[in-house]
Amino acid sequence: MKARVHVMLKNGVLDPQGEAVRHALGALGFEGVNGVRQGKVIELDLAEGATEADVTAMCEKLLANTVIESYSVELG
């Protein structure tokens, strides 16, 4: 089974990388971008029998810093 985990900073947490991307886009002539939030995608190739609960536990313990980040899980 494959799982994809999307990790993003929670609303209200400053995103300096996103701000740097927004600034760079403006410098390259891409106007009209008012904000950028940068995150990460983690793709997992899981052994047979793994469950969404297993992936959630991985996120809670390692893949996301749940104090400042939120995450969502896609199974496929």
Side-chain angles (χ1 to χ4, degrees), residues 5-11 13 40 42 55-73:
V5 179
H6 299 266
V7 181
M8 295 290 294
L9 289 171
K10 290 181 177 179
N11 289 334
V13 176
K40 58 189 170 188
I42 302 165
V55 178
T56 297
M58 292 175 198
C59 291
E60 293 288 327
K61 292 182 179 184
L62 176 70
L63 301 178
N65 177 349
T66 56
V67 173
I68 62 169
E69 295 174 322
S70 60
Y71 63 88
S72 62
V73 175

Side-chain angles (χ1 to χ4, degrees), residues 9-52:
L9 289 171
K10 290 181 177 179
N11 289 334
V13 176
L14 295 178
D15 185 354
Q17 289 179 309
E19 184 59 23
V21 170
R22 187 198 62 75
H23 179 73
L25 288 170
L28 292 170
F30 296 102
E31 300 300 326
V33 178
N34 294 326
V36 175
R37 301 288 288 174
Q38 185 169 324
K40 58 189 170 188
V41 175
I42 302 165
E43 294 186 348
L44 303 168
D45 190 6
L46 303 167
E48 189 173 322
T51 65
E52 185 170 359

